[in-house]
Amino acid sequence: MVHSTHFQRHTRLSTVNGRVSKRPRGPREQRRSAKKSEVTRALIAEKHAILLEELKLAPTTIGAAAAKFAAFVEVEKLADQLDTPLVDRLIASEVRFADSYRVIATKKQEPGQKGKPVVTAIVSLTVGADANWQLVKEREGIILAKGPEEEREEEEQPPIKNYACLDAPMEDAPKKEKSSLGRRIYGCITQRNGCFIQVRLTCKANILDSFKELPLQLYVDINTTAQENQLEAIARVAEKQFIQKKLGFEVASLPKAASAPSRSRSPSIVCLDDEMDGKQSSFASSSSSSIICLDDLPEQPPKPSTFMADLNDEQKRAIEEIKREDTNNVFMLFGPPGTGKTHTLVKAVAELVRLGDRVLICTPSNKAADHIACGLLNEGLGKGTDDALYRHVSRTLDASLVPAQLRSHAGIESNGDELRFATDEIDLDDYAIVISTLGSTPSLRKLYTESDEKFDYIIVDEAGQAAEMEVWMPMAFFACRRTRLIVAGDPMQLGPVASVHLLDDPAYGYKTSILSRLYQNEAFRSDSQNMVQLTKNYRSHEAIVNVVSQVFYNDTLEFTRPAGHDSLDDWHRLPQSQFPVFFENVYGRVQTDRNGSSSNEAEANAVVFYIESLLRSRRVKAHEIGVVSPYTAQTQLIRHLLGPSSEVTVDTVEKFQGSERRVIIMTAVRNGTALGFMEDRQRLNTALSRAQQLLIVIGHGRSLEALPDWFKFIDYCKANNAYVDASDIADSRMY
């Protein structure tokens, strides 16, 4: 069963007096994490015409990519503002200074800088009885605002991110396009005791005095930390040419220059997850890149180390190319489903550490970061000082969600039944391996000083699931001239998930990952030093491998007949014995719920029938079965039909990415001409390739055959006598 981490990750103020404490967020806040749909093309065209032009830019150079990525961030910020209107963020309408304030820090002014200095102060405030503390999280931002006569000064206020806002009433204020708030100060709540609160504010020194006698209003501010971090990373990449050369925007088919000089080596590896922590804009020019293509591999590759004895030739070749000191060219490890990509990366990291390199590994999710981190530990790394491993985890994450094997490497201590993060400071110089999500890379900077050496390698695993601007973050914050970028994943599977519906439009290119961009470049793809594609599938039955290979990978995949691959070849429900793949044609009524998600009861009943048949055969256990649908409403319907005690995993395609099951049953749901998600070939590939020993697909054949990839799959089933019609087998369901 897949459990959400939403309630563990977020905390807010409790209503008890005294020090600010944490408690789980309730269902009301779930809407904050939902995809935002208010930003439309028409809205941007009307009010943000320049932004629309930047969204349309073709990212063929670093400069164009930087402008486009910055536009993505601005759209996300705009969506946040529309998703949480000011009226919904009001904490208290009656707020005043309780007494004077205490300055605790003054920002040093540059020589020749005019105006009052920026200070950070502690202020006590009285709050009216109408205060809605349910809206507030610990240390959440506030805004302190006064009337429109101060708007000229407002332009001078420094932007302070991730704070709340106190706002003065504006009854006579003219409407402004940028904001309905007047003069404001940003800060955060640090303590509450009844109707008194203590806040920390940052502003120019003279502003606090002008606010002391005003009636104020307290609002929750929109958290823009992640967006500001991303913009900062974009700006850094746009300014640093040595980073630009490593991203593969300029790929020539000419012979490469000689390798860069050997790097200074010091033991340490770092792996980062893929959360989102940063943003900022700028432009620049570009550079070169690199990937390796199997057909162009030399006949006699370099002799591998003995530790690679359990690897196939492609995996060995990939590791040799990763080790090559070509710091100005990105290398891409193309790993289709079940081809041992993670195993190859683990072996590569082990070899790099043995050579004394420092490695930073980043992924788009905690799940992917944990997976490769556990693989490294299982390989024997992380036991000594020369190969020490640190799994960087956000302190807002519930420590119990971190795998037990990794907790000691993530600074998590056990005190009886209680798990907690250690208070000891982490020094990255103590670790050979650091693992974190992409989104957590900005917070990792707190553990790094300017004197620390950067990393020899930055490896981004599952890079196809991240927006390219997210890959820029570890490069912006941790790359130096000797750093080499390695990206790994599969551009043929599901790509990045946009938080704003507008960015789902392929015309804007948000879902074009760095893997997709590089793979689409023939000059890059055809260079044997740029990309290695793994082709031997160690996961699935040959009937499953063959159809996935034919439809999505130009017939390049090879089956290996792993242990147990034929265990269900003689299941009595197979239309064709020894061929554990089939399509059942079902025409059912499609229903749409109030959230716009679709369900199909006829298909859901067919799914439940096959699950019950498999369980009755006692050849498959419930937890070995996975049901995949592109629609949440369909997964909810099937879970309801199976009952709350069922151990069958029923989820969307996105949730299944990176997973596998002995049996996969896919329900397409939609029929007719409006096929929705079914038109997405990456989604179809991801769903089909999860199966190990049995693949059942249920849908309306005539509708789906209108789509090229679906036509190939259904034709494959028909050619192997593995296409059945529900009406023809209705009697057999009286089992």
Side-chain angles (χ1 to χ4, degrees):
M1 182 179 292
V2 178
H3 296 283
S4 170
T5 62
H6 179 79
F7 292 99
Q8 287 86 359
R9 286 173 180 257
H10 296 87
T11 57
R12 63 185 185 190
L13 288 178
S14 70
T15 56
V16 298
N17 291 338
R19 197 68 186 165
V20 172
S21 59
K22 297 183 179 181
R23 64 183 178 84
R25 292 177 67 177
R28 176 176 181 175
E29 284 71 34
Q30 289 185 10
R31 62 187 177 91
R32 293 189 182 181
S33 60
K35 180 170 283 194
K36 306 166 184 65
S37 57
E38 292 84 352
V39 178
T40 63
R41 187 182 185 282
L43 174 69
I44 295 178
E46 178 184 355
K47 297 187 176 181
H48 308 276
I50 296 178
L51 181 59
L52 184 61
E53 293 304 312
E54 291 173 340
L55 287 174
K56 295 178 181 178
L57 286 172
T60 54
T61 66
I62 285 286
K68 188 180 188 73
F69 296 166
F72 290 159
V73 179
E74 294 304 325
V75 169
E76 291 174 348
K77 292 171 72 173
L78 181 60
D80 282 339
Q81 293 168 8
L82 293 175
D83 191 53
T84 52
L86 193 61
V87 65
D88 291 344
R89 293 189 275 127
L90 178 65
I91 301 170
S93 58
E94 298 179 16
V95 180
R96 287 184 178 273
F97 274 54
D99 49 34
S100 189
Y101 54 86
R102 176 169 54 91
V103 174
I104 59 173
T106 301
K107 183 178 179 181
K108 184 178 179 180
Q109 290 184 292
E110 298 294 331
Q113 184 177 350
K114 297 181 180 180
K116 299 289 185 180
V118 174
V119 299
T120 298
I122 298 297
V123 180
S124 295
L125 303 169
T126 58
V127 181
D130 65 339
N132 181 7
W133 298 111
Q134 299 296 318
L135 294 177
V136 191
K137 294 185 295 182
E138 181 178 7
R139 297 190 177 276
E140 182 136 42
I142 56 171
I143 308 170
L144 204 58
K146 76 186 280 188
E149 72 278 3
E150 300 292 339
E151 286 177 1
R152 184 182 61 80
E153 283 186 287
E154 186 174 359
E155 300 294 330
E156 301 174 359
Q157 176 134 339
I160 306 298
K161 51 197 176 186
N162 192 25
Y163 292 122
C165 144
L166 282 171
D167 183 19
M170 295 180 52
E171 299 170 359
D172 301 323
K175 292 183 179 179
K176 289 184 63 180
E177 180 178 327
K178 289 187 178 180
S179 173
S180 60
L181 293 177
R183 188 71 182 87
R184 69 193 77 170
I185 303 178
Y186 294 82
C188 62
I189 300 173
T190 59
Q191 189 174 354
R192 186 169 72 84
N193 187 3
C195 62
F196 293 94
I197 64 172
Q198 189 176 84
V199 298
R200 186 174 64 212
L201 304 173
T202 301
C203 62
K204 287 194 174 182
N206 61 322
I207 302 299
L208 286 171
D209 289 330
S210 67
F211 273 62
K212 286 178 63 175
E213 306 302 324
L214 288 174
L216 305 166
Q217 292 178 326
L218 181 67
Y219 289 90
V220 176
D221 193 21
I222 296 173
N223 189 331
T224 61
T225 301
Q227 294 157 349
E228 297 304 326
N229 285 334
Q230 182 68 73
L231 288 172
E232 181 183 354
I234 293 170
R236 287 193 180 201
V237 172
E239 293 167 359
K240 297 182 182 295
Q241 292 190 6
F242 77 87
I243 296 179
Q244 298 165 19
K245 292 179 180 179
K246 303 175 188 294
L247 293 171
F249 276 89
E250 292 181 0
V251 180
S253 55
L254 300 174
K256 293 192 182 297
S259 297
S262 297
R263 310 168 191 173
S264 61
R265 317 262 188 181
S266 62
S268 123
I269 298 179
V270 177
C271 295
L272 301 179
D273 311 342
D274 356 314
E275 297 157 359
M276 240 196 73
D277 255 75
K279 307 179 176 174
Q280 208 168 28
S281 65
S282 257
F283 322 127
S285 57
S286 59
S287 126
S288 65
S289 61
S290 54
I291 306 182
I292 298 180
C293 190
L294 266 186
D295 294 338
D296 298 324
L297 296 180
E299 295 181 3
Q300 296 181 342
K303 185 176 180 179
S305 304
T306 55
F307 87 102
M308 296 196 290
D310 63 337
L311 301 175
N312 63 42
D313 290 343
E314 297 161 2
Q315 294 170 326
K316 293 175 183 177
R317 177 63 179 173
I319 292 175
E320 292 302 325
E321 290 300 333
I322 288 172
K323 288 162 55 181
R324 188 166 54 84
E325 300 206 2
D326 185 3
T327 60
N328 283 336
N329 290 288
V330 57
F331 175 80
M332 175 174 157
L333 177 60
F334 179 5
T339 55
K341 170 185 64 67
T342 301
H343 181 61
T344 305
L345 284 179
V346 166
K347 290 287 188 177
V349 169
E351 180 69 355
L352 294 174
V353 174
R354 185 184 68 81
L355 294 172
D357 282 311
R358 305 194 70 209
V359 183
L360 168 62
I361 304 173
C362 307
T363 68
S365 68
N366 279 300
K367 178 181 176 181
D370 291 342
H371 183 59
I372 194 168
C374 289
L376 289 166
L377 293 179
N378 293 337
E379 186 65 20
L381 295 169
K383 295 180 178 179
T385 56
D386 291 340
D387 62 0
L389 182 150
Y390 172 58
R391 169 67 173 95
H392 180 58
V393 177
S394 171
R395 295 301 175 99
T396 63
L397 185 69
D398 186 341
S400 66
L401 298 177
V402 179
Q405 185 182 10
L406 294 176
R407 288 172 188 165
S408 63
H409 299 275
I412 297 174
E413 299 175 336
S414 176
N415 184 12
D417 295 334
E418 182 184 0
L419 294 174
R420 62 186 181 189
F421 288 94
T423 57
D424 297 342
E425 291 187 5
I426 300 296
D427 185 349
L428 291 189
D429 278 343
D430 294 337
Y431 297 92
I433 306 170
V434 177
I435 304 163
S436 164
T437 59
L438 288 167
S440 290
T441 51
S443 63
L444 191 67
R445 290 183 292 174
K446 299 174 183 177
L447 312 178
Y448 222 67
T449 64
E450 291 299 324
S451 61
D452 289 331
E453 290 192 25
K454 303 287 185 175
F455 298 102
D456 298 290
Y457 283 85
I458 292 177
I459 299 176
V460 181
D461 191 17
E462 303 297 355
Q465 299 176 33
E468 180 166 357
M469 63 181 183
E470 296 177 62
V471 176
W472 284 22
M473 282 199 287
M475 294 299 291
F477 301 138
F478 297 104
C480 61
R481 295 185 183 277
R482 71 170 186 278
T483 302
R484 189 174 193 202
L485 173 63
I486 308 295
V487 292
D490 184 358
M492 303 303 177
Q493 294 191 62
L494 276 178
V497 177
S499 62
V500 183
H501 279 300
L502 177 72
L503 298 180
D504 284 329
D505 189 336
Y508 301 127
Y510 181 89
K511 294 191 173 185
T512 301
S513 67
I514 188 171
L515 293 187
S516 296
R517 173 174 63 80
L518 295 174
Y519 187 79
Q520 291 166 9
N521 186 331
E522 186 177 356
F524 180 84
R525 192 171 68 234
S526 60
D527 189 328
S528 62
Q529 295 183 337
N530 287 341
M531 183 186 84
V532 166
Q533 179 187 342
L534 305 178
T535 64
K536 291 179 173 57
N537 181 288
Y538 298 98
R539 171 186 293 170
S540 306
H541 188 282
E542 61 187 88
I544 300 171
V545 175
N546 286 339
V547 69
V548 170
S549 180
Q550 290 174 24
V551 177
F552 304 105
Y553 297 97
N554 298 318
D555 261 336
T556 58
L557 302 188
E558 305 171 31
F559 58 83
T560 60
R561 296 192 174 98
H565 72 282
D566 56 355
S567 65
L568 297 173
D569 275 11
D570 59 348
W571 182 47
H572 71 288
R573 295 290 179 188
L574 292 179
Q576 179 67 37
S577 180
Q578 312 301 310
F579 194 83
V581 175
F582 68 91
F583 180 91
E584 178 172 327
N585 180 42
V586 174
Y587 183 78
R589 180 185 174 191
V590 179
Q591 295 183 311
T592 303
D593 65 17
R594 61 183 180 181
N595 296 318
S597 187
S598 301
S599 62
N600 185 318
E601 188 173 359
E603 290 189 17
N605 287 330
V607 168
V608 173
F609 166 77
Y610 285 119
I611 291 173
E612 292 176 344
S613 179
L614 283 164
L615 295 178
R616 278 195 298 265
S617 73
R618 299 191 176 183
R619 303 176 65 175
V620 179
K621 297 179 179 178
H623 70 269
E624 297 175 321
I625 303 173
V627 179
V628 187
S629 173
Y631 296 98
T632 300
Q634 183 76 340
T635 65
Q636 293 171 342
L637 173 59
I638 294 170
R639 289 194 197 106
H640 172 73
L641 294 175
L642 291 173
S645 62
S646 175
E647 295 182 7
V648 175
T649 302
V650 184
D651 229 319
T652 58
V653 182
E654 288 82 358
K655 295 292 180 65
F656 263 101
Q657 185 148 345
S659 302
E660 58 188 35
R661 293 292 186 279
R662 282 186 68 197
V663 178
I664 285 291
I665 305 175
M666 180 183 181
T667 163
V669 181
R670 300 287 284 270
N671 51 46
T673 57
L675 297 175
F677 287 138
M678 291 299 91
E679 299 180 19
D680 187 339
R681 73 189 313 260
Q682 292 176 312
R683 191 178 301 274
L684 177 61
N685 179 24
T686 303
L688 300 182
S689 59
R690 302 305 94 199
Q692 294 173 292
Q693 297 164 20
L694 173 62
L695 173 62
I696 304 170
V697 180
I698 300 168
H700 186 234
R702 190 171 65 181
S703 298
L704 295 170
E705 283 179 316
L707 303 174
D709 296 314
W710 276 98
F711 177 85
K712 292 177 185 177
F713 174 77
I714 293 173
D715 187 61
Y716 176 82
C717 292
K718 289 179 176 178
N720 289 280
N721 299 316
Y723 181 98
V724 298
D725 194 285
S727 60
D728 294 337
I729 60 172
D731 292 339
S732 69
R733 291 193 170 169
M734 309 274 305
Y735 190 86

